[in-house]
Amino acid sequence: MRTAIYPGSFDPVTNGHLDIISRATKLFDKVIVLVSVNPIKPSSFSIQERKELLIKATSSLENVEIDSYDGLLIDYFNQKKADVIIKGLRAMSDFEYEFQMAMANKKLQGEAETIFLTASSENTFLSSSMVKQIAMFNGDISAFVPNCIHEQIKLRLKR
Ligand code: ADP
């Protein structure tokens, strides 16, 4: 049984995240999408809201679990006896930070391998912060977030 953990802010989940999740479900027996509490990064949605949106967005995928954690990723990784950490890479700009994180996690836990999945070409520009900016000015975000949660995100962000 191979378990992968896909950590992130998911504030909120976008089609880019969902693409990585569904591709990861084909590579691993179980994919845990982990809403991680980042004390430095300000967020718009509560942890509970982010989890609920993820649960709806992934309801058709059988081997996905949604969880949250406010400690060190590597402690969660050990607790779950996971095999791999999954990250999505959109552009070179993601690379430096993700590379550092992967190295740090490997120093903390020698067995923790990080696997990078490249973003699909239609999602390379897509980020949660872009979705939030468009929605706050009542722009159309329907092409950027899963259909089943589009209205909910729109209403929540409308000013
Ligand atoms: P952000 O706030 O930058 O949108 P998150 O912290 O929620 O991102 O991202 C979690 C993980 O998902 C990271 O590995 C990130 O690189 C990846 N990711 C974010 N957006 C996309 C996308 N559009 N396509 C592929 N991977 C993505």
Side-chain angles (χ1 to χ4, degrees):
M1 169 98 165
R2 310 289 287 170
T3 300
I5 298 177
Y6 176 40
S9 314
F10 307 104
D11 185 44
V13 58
T14 67
N15 285 340
H17 296 128
L18 192 57
D19 174 54
I20 298 288
I21 296 168
S22 71
R23 285 159 59 198
T25 59
K26 295 180 188 128
L27 300 170
F28 296 94
D29 301 305
K30 182 158 92 178
V31 175
I32 304 176
V33 182
L34 189 68
V35 180
S36 313
V37 181
N38 184 337
I40 306 168
K41 209 168 159 184
S43 58
S44 305
F45 292 81
S46 70
I47 298 288
Q48 199 49 39
E49 284 175 308
R50 287 183 254 169
K51 280 171 73 175
E52 280 166 18
L53 291 169
L54 274 163
I55 289 169
K56 281 190 191 166
T58 59
S59 62
S60 64
L61 299 168
E62 269 173 21
N63 51 341
V64 172
E65 231 177 79
I66 311 296
D67 201 1
S68 60
Y69 192 62
D70 68 352
L72 215 47
L73 172 62
I74 216 66
D75 291 335
Y76 184 89
F77 181 92
N78 288 335
Q79 263 177 42
K80 291 285 167 179
K81 300 193 186 346
D83 299 285
V84 160
I85 297 164
I86 298 259
K87 287 303 191 91
L89 279 186
R90 281 162 289 193
M92 281 308 284
S93 50
D94 277 342
F95 180 78
E96 201 170 333
Y97 176 73
E98 295 294 356
F99 190 73
Q100 265 184 5
M101 294 291 285
M103 289 293 172
N105 283 327
K106 199 131 186 31
K107 277 267 180 256
L108 292 169
Q109 215 291 34
E111 313 246 302
E113 296 293 355
T114 302
I115 289 187
F116 295 99
L117 296 183
T118 50
S120 299
S121 55
E122 65 271 25
N123 294 326
T124 47
F125 67 95
L126 192 51
S127 67
S128 297
S129 51
M130 194 198 75
V131 165
K132 285 187 277 192
Q133 281 178 42
I134 296 174
M136 277 172 195
F137 295 108
N138 295 325
D140 181 7
I141 55 164
S142 56
F144 308 137
V145 297
N147 268 337
C148 58
I149 54 172
H150 161 233
E151 280 298 322
Q152 196 176 337
I153 295 176
K154 196 172 100 180
L155 290 174
R156 174 67 171 71
L157 292 173
K158 209 168 156 188
R159 295 196 298 181

